[in-house]
Amino acid sequence: MKLSSVSALLILDNDGNRVFSKYYNGAFPTERDAKEFEQAVFKKTKETDFEIVALKGMTVVYRSSVDVSFYIVGDGEENELILSQALNTFFDTMSVILKKNVEKKAILNKMGLVMLAVDDFIQEGVILEYDSDSIVSRVCPKSELQEGGVGSGMMGSLPITEQTVQQVLQSAREGFKWSLLR
């Protein structure tokens, strides 16, 4: 059985500049190689409406937010659905950590938590977790979760079975409000 693996996780801003990057398994041995790849990824994804692209023998899945784009890069033979699910998990994790304010400034302000989440999510290129609530619960301080600081829109990391009816309704209201603002 082959474990799903990634070659890189990238966050780039709207100009193609690096906000965060982590490379695995020596995919791009030099900083110059990494920067060139990031620029090629940005250029290719900027020109297309597809969420999955092939570039230099790699499979790239991406998702854009306000002023940043998230990328997960796997080798050309990696399953696109698994990479896409990993990207969704990471984006959901960032959404909770950043209180649904997924933009460059918020990422830079919470870079410590972003880095911890990435390390909890992927180690040595192997995807360890597909549950964003589990990642958030391990990464965020419990005091922030209890105070409604991180993930207040999703009632922290409480499963729906442990929430009161009022908490579920509040969460639904907030989700509806955010869907209208998009």
Side-chain angles (χ1 to χ4, degrees):
M1 180 176 148
K2 180 182 179 259
L3 294 174
S4 298
S5 64
V6 299
S7 301
L9 185 144
L10 310 170
I11 304 174
L12 304 178
D13 67 13
N14 281 346
D15 298 320
N17 298 316
R18 179 188 299 169
V19 176
F20 176 84
S21 69
K22 183 124 186 195
Y23 290 90
Y24 303 96
N25 305 324
F28 299 96
T30 67
E31 181 70 17
R32 184 173 184 226
D33 292 339
K35 285 276 192 187
E36 286 175 4
F37 180 74
E38 290 168 14
Q39 290 305 309
V41 164
F42 178 74
K43 183 178 179 189
K44 177 98 175 192
T45 56
K46 184 177 165 184
E47 298 170 352
T48 184
D49 293 331
F50 299 112
E51 296 174 353
I52 301 170
V53 296
L55 180 68
K56 298 184 180 183
M58 304 281 222
T59 302
V60 180
V61 294
Y62 73 100
R63 183 171 178 180
S64 297
S65 188
V66 177
D67 61 352
V68 291
S69 295
F70 296 83
Y71 302 87
I72 291 193
V73 182
D75 69 26
E77 297 177 13
E78 192 61 58
N79 186 325
E80 296 90 355
L81 294 175
I82 290 175
L83 293 176
S84 184
Q85 178 60 40
L87 179 64
N88 289 335
T89 298
F90 184 64
F91 187 86
D92 292 346
T93 301
M94 291 298 99
S95 183
V96 173
I97 289 173
L98 302 172
K99 303 176 194 171
K100 295 189 180 183
N101 186 26
V102 184
E103 59 185 35
K104 183 177 178 179
K105 182 178 179 183
I107 292 170
L108 293 173
N109 287 338
K110 298 263 187 177
M111 187 57 77
L113 288 176
V114 170
M115 292 168 57
L116 284 172
V118 169
D119 287 343
D120 192 68
F121 173 52
I122 300 171
Q123 287 186 1
E124 297 181 21
V126 177
I127 303 167
L128 298 178
E129 184 69 66
Y130 288 96
D131 181 21
S132 59
D133 288 338
S134 296
I135 297 169
V136 170
S137 69
R138 286 191 299 267
V139 168
C140 292
K142 294 204 184 311
S143 61
E144 282 191 49
L145 288 172
Q146 291 169 350
E147 294 167 5
V150 172
S152 60
M154 296 184 180
M155 294 298 140
S157 62
L158 285 177
I160 197 163
T161 56
E162 294 180 21
Q163 295 178 18
T164 66
V165 172
Q166 180 144 4
Q167 288 173 323
V168 171
L169 289 174
Q170 177 65 27
S171 180
R173 270 190 224 108
E174 286 189 28
F176 181 71
K177 177 178 75 173
W178 282 106
S179 68
L180 290 176
L181 292 175
R182 288 184 196 170

